[in-house]
Amino acid sequence: MSQSNIESVLHEARVFPANPQFAREARIGDESLAALHRRAESDPVGYWSDLARSEITWHKPFTQTLDDSAAPNYRWFADGELNVSYNCLDVHLAEHANRTAIIFEGEPGDTRRLTYRQLHAEVCLFANALKARGIRRGDRVVIYMPLVPEAVIAMQACARIGAIHSVVFGGFSAVSLKDRIEGAGARCVITADGGRRGGNIVELKAATDKALAEGCPTVESVFVLQRTGEPVPMQAGRDIWWHEAIVGLSDQCEPEWVDAEHPLFLLYTSGSTGRPKGIQHSSAGYLLGAKMTSRWVFDLRVDDVFWCTADVGWITGHSYVTYGPLAAAATIVMYEGAPTYPDGGRFWSLCERHGVTVFYTAPTAIRALMKLGEEIPAKYDLSKIRLLGSVGEPINPEAWMWYHRVIGQGRCPIVDTWWQTETGAIMISPIPGVTPTKPGSCTQPLPGIFADIVDDEGRSVTTPDAGGYLVIRKPWPSMLRTIWGDNERYLKTYWEKFQNKFYVAGDSAHRDADGYFWIMGRIDDVLNVAGHRLGTMEIESALVAHPRIAEAAVVGKQHEIKGESVFAFVVCRGARPTGDTRAFEKELRDWVTEQLGAIAKPDDIRFAENLPKTRSGKIMRRLLRAIARGEPITQDVSTLENPAIIDQLRGLG
Ligand code: WT7
């Protein structure tokens, strides 16, 4: 069946031109963007070579830009030498040493600021502590920490000595931690006694002990940050307190100069099948992507206060907390806790108190905060915010409009940024002073990114609104290099489908008549209803456009006649409807029919208190699919925020 039959039925006609006042001061204007695109199109390799020379401080300059001799295992700037931490910290000491690098707020309300000079000193101290424990270039270090400055310090310290970090999100269980430690063959784990979330303590050290008790023979050292002060057992010879490990060490640490292709980090991410994949990123190419996109997409300058709400356990926290904005000498905000602790005003209060100018979050957070009502953000002064960003999933036009009107007060551009763990940096996004935006579209590829939409035969889909596979036609510097320890899987997952010709993102998308990209969802989230393919996201978007619906997740259920039917789990604003809900269900079906056409009408609607999500906020679709089909649940539910909802979703609660 041809992918080009993916039907796009979501019609969004609103266009928001770039704000002229923003445009006047923007880092990238109309002409410079056009010039970048021209340069990238006429000489893509030369374009990246110029950028790499001007944006990275090299210890030894590179002579070859792109090595494609082992394609699709591409190598960039391969004979150059650099250090990523040097490029994020040391390069700013001459001009910006006393500028704030990190503004931190813990969930209980404790705050801390670090200047670039202080951050540099802390990174050097801890780098020396790692070295004192025998950690060297190429060793793998697992970081399992709360979202506190030491998480960034630990990552930067690894980069400084050439150790390869693998951050494991603090919300993952001991079992997931163990798998990732073993996958990476880590010699060292950096953790904390605990972290704080939603008024509770997340017992990170206890989980680490459990993981290590069940395996992980390669681990020799465990560094433990004191964050909560709760007592935790320390194993002599293995465990060492962070604050004790740095005593008497120097706050200077000569960076380890590494090859451009030296792995900076691994980051495990789930695939549609099998074990999580250790996505391996490079040093120079990755840094270039993170830095350039921080400056172009977020328009970052040294006087910006940039808050990316992502945890460092995700790629967003790597590229837009730890590396990109620091390389751009901006000030970042880090907040440890839950968005709604102690109440739904916490995010907006943080923005007000710390003078956030650029705010970057996920649609799931926007929808959750939207559900609480606009009186909450109205209580805070959000006038310093000048730019808003969204990432992680398609943002439904409803949430986009709320974000624009209530948080951006109609004044702030919104950058809907499409990218992936694998791409390392933002790929498709508006340039805020230039690109007119349309709610729900990530607009157009950045200069140097050759994104396209192709059909099953790999032919470019040129008919407006016809769907297909989202692919990237040419290599780019921040792309993943391989899957750690499994290059076969790398080739199979991303390249095999079109004979290594282009990178296959795994998303379906379509382009409108203006050449704007609309992401429809993962390929495996595409439904086939009576021979029509429908993106699940479009139906969800339609459902949440209904005034009574806060959130929706749609999955396919086998259907005798239609092949697949639409099964919708919906969360209402206010209380969950109970009793006889048939009239309301009909209303919703009619609503979807009206928005999208009868083809997209859900056969089943189940009202839920909540949707099952991973800690990162991704809806667990495979779980919902199993529930919708009445199949047994086989997947790992250990990352579920609230396991009790499973029964309720089954219709038993
Ligand atoms: C998948 C990647 C990139 C950081 C966070 C997620 C979806 C991401 C968007 C967007 C529509 C998006 C895609 C992609 N996605 N951003 N702006 N619009 N979809 O990283 O966990 O690697 O997930 O998230 O499906 O493939 P990730």
Side-chain angles (χ1 to χ4, degrees):
M1 207 158 319
S2 170
Q3 197 66 30
S4 61
N5 290 336
I6 293 176
E7 307 229 340
S8 162
V9 284
L10 180 70
H11 296 291
E12 172 55 57
R14 288 169 288 206
V15 181
F16 293 81
N19 173 336
Q21 197 188 331
F22 189 100
R24 265 197 301 281
E25 286 156 23
R27 190 180 268 288
I28 305 238
D30 244 328
E31 280 161 30
S32 35
L33 182 61
L36 286 167
H37 275 297
R38 274 197 307 275
R39 171 88 176 115
E41 262 141 50
S42 66
D43 177 12
V45 173
Y47 161 86
W48 288 119
S49 162
D50 291 353
L51 284 174
R53 273 177 235 281
S54 62
E55 297 297 331
I56 291 178
T57 303
W58 294 91
H59 181 64
K60 176 177 160 245
F62 61 94
T63 60
Q64 188 189 14
T65 303
L66 173 63
D67 173 3
D68 58 6
S69 58
N73 289 109
Y74 293 97
R75 291 154 54 83
W76 287 89
F77 323 119
D79 62 346
E81 285 176 20
L82 79 163
N83 180 280
V84 171
S85 161
Y86 183 90
N87 273 273
C88 293
L89 302 171
D90 304 53
V91 295
H92 306 317
L93 293 184
E95 263 184 84
H96 308 299
N98 296 322
R99 205 171 271 285
T100 304
I102 300 180
I103 301 172
F104 167 71
E105 186 166 309
E107 195 180 75
D110 52 316
T111 62
R112 211 172 127 199
R113 282 171 177 256
L114 287 148
T115 63
Y116 271 92
R117 188 199 310 285
Q118 289 166 331
L119 180 59
H120 177 266
E122 297 280 347
V123 168
C124 288
L125 269 172
F126 193 67
N128 286 327
L130 288 170
K131 287 211 282 195
R133 277 288 180 124
I135 305 302
R136 296 284 177 265
R137 171 201 298 248
D139 288 343
R140 273 82 62 207
V141 173
V142 163
I143 298 175
Y144 184 60
M145 295 186 78
L147 192 54
V148 296
E150 282 78 6
V152 170
I153 293 167
M155 293 163 82
Q156 289 280 351
C158 287
R160 195 157 192 95
I161 65 171
I164 303 166
H165 61 68
S166 174
V167 184
V168 177
F169 175 56
F172 279 125
S173 65
V175 180
S176 320
L177 175 64
K178 171 181 166 280
D179 289 347
R180 286 161 173 76
I181 293 172
E182 290 183 341
R187 288 188 66 195
C188 168
V189 176
I190 306 169
T191 186
D193 48 4
R196 293 181 188 273
R197 196 163 168 98
N200 300 313
I201 286 180
V202 184
E203 294 183 348
L204 297 167
K205 177 62 163 64
T208 304
D209 287 340
K210 193 160 171 237
L212 297 187
E214 280 159 24
C216 312
T218 53
V219 174
E220 297 157 17
S221 307
V222 178
F223 289 87
V224 186
L225 176 77
Q226 196 162 48
R227 167 67 189 143
T228 63
E230 295 293 313
V232 294
M234 296 289 280
Q235 183 175 312
R238 186 193 72 181
D239 302 352
I240 179 167
W241 288 106
W242 177 303
H243 58 271
E244 287 173 7
I246 59 176
V247 169
L249 299 180
S250 165
D251 64 0
Q252 297 296 316
C253 175
E254 179 67 15
E256 187 80 17
W257 305 109
V258 298
D259 294 344
E261 283 294 310
H262 181 73
L264 178 63
F265 64 85
L266 313 178
L267 186 58
Y268 281 82
T269 181
S270 1
S272 44
T273 52
R275 291 170 299 112
K277 310 172 273 197
I279 303 300
Q280 178 181 322
H281 277 288
S282 70
S283 293
Y286 171 79
L287 174 67
L288 181 62
K291 180 176 180 183
M292 292 320 303
T293 51
S294 293
R295 295 176 40 171
W296 292 352
V297 175
F298 298 116
D299 195 48
L300 285 189
R301 310 135 198 272
V302 292
D303 53 358
D304 269 309
V305 178
F306 178 53
W307 185 17
C308 162
T309 65
D311 191 278
V312 292
W314 313 114
I315 190 69
T316 311
H318 285 60
S319 303
Y320 302 108
V321 178
T322 303
Y323 292 112
L326 294 182
T331 299
I332 61 166
V333 170
M334 292 178 76
Y335 166 58
E336 178 188 30
T340 49
Y341 187 85
D343 59 53
R346 188 61 180 268
F347 266 18
W348 318 126
S349 154
L350 270 141
C351 287
E352 174 184 290
R353 284 179 293 110
H354 301 302
V356 171
T357 60
V358 182
F359 181 72
Y360 187 36
T361 196
T364 179
I366 299 169
R367 286 194 297 267
L369 295 168
M370 177 169 97
K371 197 178 157 191
L372 302 176
E374 56 190 83
E375 326 70 78
I376 297 179
K379 287 191 237 158
Y380 299 92
D381 177 7
L382 302 177
S383 63
K384 286 240 172 66
I385 301 180
R386 63 186 192 91
L387 175 60
L388 297 171
S390 167
V391 63
E393 57 178 306
I395 176 166
N396 51 300
E398 205 61 23
W400 196 102
M401 289 304 299
W402 186 86
Y403 202 28
H404 174 74
R405 184 174 57 79
V406 178
I407 307 306
Q409 299 169 345
R411 158 191 88 239
C412 302
I414 294 180
V415 288
D416 176 354
T417 61
W418 179 87
W419 59 297
Q420 308 175 291
T421 303
E422 291 88 341
T423 68
I426 295 168
M427 304 287 278
I428 309 180
S429 167
I431 295 292
V434 181
T435 320
T437 51
K438 304 184 188 185
S441 169
C442 53
T443 76
Q444 294 186 310
L446 298 180
I449 303 301
F450 295 84
D452 198 0
I453 295 169
V454 300
D455 65 18
D456 247 335
E457 274 71 56
R459 286 177 305 232
S460 194
V461 173
T462 49
T463 321
D465 302 329
Y469 297 93
L470 179 60
V471 299
I472 314 293
R473 290 188 166 273
K474 290 186 198 302
W476 66 102
S478 68
M479 66 196 298
L480 80 164
R481 294 306 191 258
T482 186
I483 292 173
W484 178 257
D486 197 351
N487 200 52
E488 276 309 305
R489 191 170 177 197
Y490 166 75
L491 300 174
K492 203 164 161 2
T493 310
Y494 305 107
W495 299 94
E496 195 178 63
K497 174 135 184 88
F498 298 110
Q499 300 82 45
N500 297 350
K501 281 197 301 248
F502 22 75
Y503 169 84
V504 185
D507 281 349
S508 60
H510 66 90
R511 232 175 329 208
D512 65 19
D514 297 326
Y516 275 41
F517 285 71
W518 299 77
I519 309 297
M520 297 161 71
R522 300 293 301 180
I523 295 290
D524 43 16
D525 288 337
V526 170
L527 309 185
N528 188 328
V529 180
H532 297 271
R533 292 192 175 200
L534 294 165
T536 50
M537 169 257 153
E538 299 189 289
I539 307 171
E540 290 163 8
S541 205
L543 282 165
V544 294
H546 186 281
R548 280 186 63 192
I549 302 301
E551 265 198 304
V554 165
V555 296
K557 182 182 176 185
Q558 309 89 315
H559 188 280
E560 248 182 12
I561 297 163
K562 298 190 273 191
E564 254 183 325
S565 67
V566 177
F567 194 116
F569 294 88
V570 295
V571 180
C572 291
R573 290 171 198 270
R576 177 166 69 100
T578 47
D580 187 356
T581 54
R582 278 174 301 181
F584 187 37
E585 282 174 36
K586 176 166 188 310
E587 183 184 328
L588 291 177
R589 280 195 197 97
D590 292 346
W591 171 268
V592 173
T593 306
E594 195 186 302
Q595 302 263 312
L596 299 175
I599 183 68
K601 187 170 67 177
D603 278 16
D604 297 85
I605 297 177
R606 189 155 294 165
F607 298 102
E609 214 91 72
N610 260 309
L611 296 176
K613 287 183 188 163
T614 61
R615 299 285 171 98
S616 68
K618 284 230 185 315
I619 294 171
M620 300 174 77
R621 284 173 193 288
R622 278 206 298 143
L623 177 68
L624 288 178
R625 222 171 283 141
I627 292 172
R629 297 174 182 187
E631 292 164 358
I633 292 163
T634 54
Q635 55 266 67
D636 177 15
V637 291
S638 66
T639 56
L640 255 183
E641 279 271 16
N642 170 17
I645 65 178
I646 291 180
D647 276 350
Q648 202 243 299
L649 293 165
R650 278 193 170 124
L652 305 173

